[in-house]
Amino acid sequence: MLIAFYLLPIDPRSLFLYRIDDDLVSSIYRKNAGTDSMRQPLIVKPGKRLYLYLLAGIVAFNSSVTPAKAGSRTGYHPISDTSTAPNGNSYFSISGKLSVYDSLHLKAAGLSKKVFTMALKGMAKLVKTRHIKDNLLAIVDFSQPSNAKRMYVIDLNTYQLVYNTYVAHGMKTGKLNATSFSNKISSNKSSLGFYVTGPAYQGSNGYSLRLQGMERGINDGAMRRGIVIHGADYVCEGLIESQGYIGRSWGCPAVAPEVSQPLIDLLKEGSCLFIYHPTTAYTSRSAFLR
């Protein structure tokens, strides 16, 4: 006698492991082979015990697979032009941007490659974690005197030095040279470090640009202090000719009135600003430079 088991389309989780013995089988469900050609019989000789390892294997396999949730896409990582790739590397490449320095002859414009590289390093962290604009980089180099054009606005994608202009430091930061910095309210000093630009607005200094300081204990008081980019009449070559340096602010990186509006409109809402000075009080503390 032959014993036939038909493999039916059933839920493997409802199965149990059966032992078939010739003295236990008295009757068998039989199917007419001609009525369902898709069902193939599994033939077992009588007098043998059979463990249905195949069914046990199905159960084990089924329990090891975790189905994806509805609507999910396994392995899918949304990517924007300022986000990190699935392998963890940002699309913002420092090495890829370094060529901008030589292409724009920034050394001749007074910006050292060391400062430019520092700016790129901090910007890369902001691009990766905060999804800011990845093309615009503004650098204020307070290692230069105020009678030099020490503000640089660079488009890293189009290789353009959009602005190279004068910028003021705080009145208690120094006269010709910036030497002292603070994060405290009413200090009238400049704050160093990395900022992200906010919205533009009309304030007591006219059209202005809010700045969010990104470094705790170094410049994170910028909003409370009202540190913004704005135009100021005292940022002019006339004062350089008469006294040797431009006027000073209450801590804001003020620029000349004739460039303030287009510069603000370019940088507003998500650009990186790096205000630099080589003082170890900043360079040794900044997490963005590590």
Side-chain angles (χ1 to χ4, degrees), residues 127-140:
V127 168
K128 182 176 180 179
T129 60
R130 296 186 61 83
H131 302 277
I132 67 167
K133 297 176 185 177
D134 66 350
N135 64 315
L136 291 174
L137 173 59
I139 302 172
V140 172

Side-chain angles (χ1 to χ4, degrees), residues 34 84 97:
T84 55
K97 304 295 185 184

Side-chain angles (χ1 to χ4, degrees), residues 85-150:
N87 62 7
N89 296 322
S90 173
Y91 280 105
F92 186 93
S93 168
I94 296 175
S95 60
K97 304 295 185 184
L98 282 173
S99 60
V100 173
Y101 182 83
D102 293 325
S103 296
L104 295 180
H105 308 289
L106 294 177
K107 182 178 180 179
L111 183 66
S112 74
K113 194 166 189 177
K114 177 181 178 181
V115 175
F116 181 71
T117 304
M118 286 180 174
L120 287 179
K121 189 172 184 178
M123 183 180 179
K125 292 184 178 181
L126 289 172
V127 168
K128 182 176 180 179
T129 60
R130 296 186 61 83
H131 302 277
I132 67 167
K133 297 176 185 177
D134 66 350
N135 64 315
L136 291 174
L137 173 59
I139 302 172
V140 172
D141 183 4
F142 279 158
S143 68
Q144 301 181 44
S146 71
N147 58 10
K149 293 182 177 180
R150 54 185 179 172

Side-chain angles (χ1 to χ4, degrees), residues 194-258:
F194 286 88
Y195 297 78
V196 173
T197 61
Y201 71 101
Q202 285 289 343
S204 59
N205 290 303
Y207 196 54
S208 305
L209 179 61
R210 297 191 190 279
L211 300 175
Q212 182 179 359
M214 304 308 301
E215 304 203 55
R216 181 175 296 180
I218 297 173
N219 64 15
D220 59 348
M223 285 285 190
R224 296 190 304 274
R225 296 179 61 202
I227 302 301
V228 300
I229 294 177
H230 64 81
D233 292 335
Y234 52 77
V235 182
C236 63
E237 291 185 336
L239 283 176
I240 295 175
E241 293 173 0
S242 64
Q243 66 182 20
Y245 53 91
I246 63 174
R248 295 162 292 165
S249 69
W250 286 1
C252 296
V255 296
E258 60 268 23

Side-chain angles (χ1 to χ4, degrees), residues 114-115 118 121 181 192-194 215 218 274-290:
K114 177 181 178 181
V115 175
M118 286 180 174
K121 189 172 184 178
F181 307 94
L192 302 175
F194 286 88
E215 304 203 55
I218 297 173
F274 177 45
I275 300 180
Y276 169 78
H277 188 273
T279 175
T280 56
Y282 169 66
T283 58
S284 64
R285 292 175 60 197
S286 175
F288 284 84
L289 300 181
R290 293 174 191 159

